Amino acid sequence: MASTAATRAASGAVKVVKPIFSRDINEAKRRVRDLYRAWYREAPNTVTLYQLDISTAQARDKVREMFNKNKHITDPRVIDMLVIKGKMELEETIHVWKQKTHVMRYFSETETPRPTDFLSKFYQGHDP
Amino acid sequence: MAARALTQCVRSLSRSTTRLYQGSVVARSSSALLISNDRTFSAISCSQGARRIEQSRISQLTRQYGGLPPLTIEAIGERVMYVLKLYDKINPEKLQASSHFMKDLGLDSLDQVEIIMAMEDEFGFEIPDAAAEKLMTPEEIVQYIADKKDIYE
């Protein structure tokens, strides 16, 4: 019993769970690449359709930025879920179910960084 | 090739008499029409006189098709390297035919996807993702395109 516990700990305790779409990480990466292709090809059409004041290069950089935000994820199910959400966004953008403001929200999203030193925390309010 | 034939036509016609001055304009326009890889036609129209040029122009009621020049492996290689040099994330000095995108040039997997899409746009046919994820050097891209377009030495 000690030996089986040791082997289980040594193997990293991998659980087998029901996948969403892809069975392993390579399939999930393939889906990500397909989604990236679709967004890359869609970016200039979006800029024209919604009459945005940005260039195609800026739109493509923003697409790359959104993909890079989730670069670190390794769980195939999480990747599948993110791909599904990305596909939903793409569908809404292609069919013009969104409006200009929704598309520009990708660009104006700013998070104010949390204060680190005591005085900034004091000015912001008591936030332990 | 066709441009050289055209300049020869123009020179030979301008050397002829002034009576043929109107004919040379006709010849220039007709050889401009025939510029699509049809050296024999333009040569014939140049060697004959102005009247013959007009006659041959009327009798040449043949259909002319446009098309691309035939691809060779060197031509594919040149176009691939040209497109890669235009890509702003690649340093054109470091780029060689055998440089690996990820290991030598330090590119991302998404950058490689962008490069493959640029190749799709350049050569005009779809490269499916299952094959595209394995193309990691310009050499492999050239070989893949030559395979798909049935071009061999």
Side-chain angles (χ1 to χ4, degrees):
Chain A
M1 202 155 80
S3 60
T4 52
T7 48
R8 223 186 305 133
S11 69
V14 178
K15 264 171 80 176
V16 177
V17 292
K18 186 176 140 190
I20 296 184
F21 280 137
S22 30
R23 279 160 284 181
D24 56 349
I25 185 82
N26 290 322
E27 271 193 58
K29 283 188 179 175
R30 208 171 290 160
R31 281 177 213 279
V32 172
R33 265 183 251 125
D34 278 337
L35 184 68
Y36 183 73
R37 272 194 192 211
W39 267 112
Y40 190 88
R41 289 260 154 84
E42 178 55 27
N45 300 336
T46 303
V47 169
T48 325
L49 261 180
Y50 292 86
Q51 294 169 359
L52 303 175
D53 293 323
I54 53 169
S55 63
T56 307
Q58 281 176 294
R60 284 182 168 152
D61 284 341
K62 178 56 75 173
V63 170
R64 176 63 75 95
E65 190 190 311
M66 303 301 285
F67 272 79
N68 280 337
K69 260 195 215 173
N70 301 318
K71 209 172 165 173
H72 55 278
I73 295 179
T74 54
D75 189 1
R77 294 176 301 154
V78 177
I79 295 177
D80 279 344
M81 207 61 225
L82 291 167
V83 164
I84 287 167
K85 294 184 76 173
K87 278 189 187 172
M88 288 199 275
E89 300 276 323
L90 180 67
E91 189 180 5
E92 287 165 12
T93 310
I94 288 178
H95 287 131
V96 199
W97 296 341
K98 288 193 186 197
Q99 279 133 19
K100 196 193 267 200
T101 166
H102 300 111
V103 178
M104 288 312 283
R105 252 168 231 181
Y106 290 119
F107 289 85
S108 70
E109 205 81 62
T110 47
E111 287 174 18
T112 51
R114 298 194 81 182
T116 42
D117 57 330
F118 172 76
L119 214 52
S120 315
K121 281 191 207 167
F122 182 75
Y123 290 142
Q124 209 191 44
H126 292 286
D127 196 10
Chain B
M1 183 176 72
R4 232 182 289 134
L6 178 61
T7 48
Q8 278 171 10
C9 292
V10 174
R11 248 182 264 134
S12 63
L13 285 166
S14 60
R15 261 187 255 124
S16 53
T17 61
T18 52
R19 190 172 59 88
L20 295 170
Y21 178 70
Q22 288 163 354
S24 69
V25 175
V26 169
R28 241 179 266 136
S29 57
S30 65
S31 38
L33 284 169
L34 298 170
I35 209 159
S36 57
N37 294 333
D38 234 355
R39 256 181 94 214
T40 52
F41 274 138
S42 53
I44 289 169
S45 64
C46 287
S47 56
Q48 294 166 354
R51 246 177 268 148
R52 280 194 190 168
I53 287 165
E54 287 190 27
Q55 282 171 10
S56 62
R57 194 166 66 93
I58 292 162
S59 68
Q60 279 157 16
L61 291 173
T62 52
R63 197 170 283 195
Q64 313 261 337
Y65 294 100
L68 296 167
L71 281 177
T72 59
I73 293 199
E74 293 90 37
I76 297 175
E78 270 178 33
R79 283 166 77 176
V80 166
M81 297 308 279
Y82 184 66
V83 170
L84 285 174
K85 286 190 180 117
L86 285 175
Y87 190 45
D88 57 350
K89 288 188 189 159
I90 293 182
N91 191 0
E93 282 104 50
K94 279 194 202 162
L95 181 67
Q96 284 159 19
S98 58
S99 44
H100 197 270
F101 292 138
M102 304 233 195
K103 293 180 204 157
D104 296 334
L105 300 170
L107 295 176
D108 207 2
S109 60
L110 292 181
D111 289 326
Q112 194 256 345
V113 171
E114 280 188 23
I115 287 172
I116 298 295
M117 278 200 275
M119 296 301 153
E120 280 184 8
D121 290 338
E122 169 74 22
F123 290 98
F125 69 99
E126 283 264 338
I127 301 177
D129 196 44
E133 63 190 12
K134 302 193 185 76
L135 302 173
M136 282 293 167
T137 70
E139 277 274 352
E140 289 178 14
I141 294 178
V142 171
Q143 275 169 24
Y144 181 84
I145 294 174
D147 277 341
K148 286 292 157 184
K149 294 275 185 181
D150 286 329
I151 296 158
Y152 36 85
E153 296 286 345

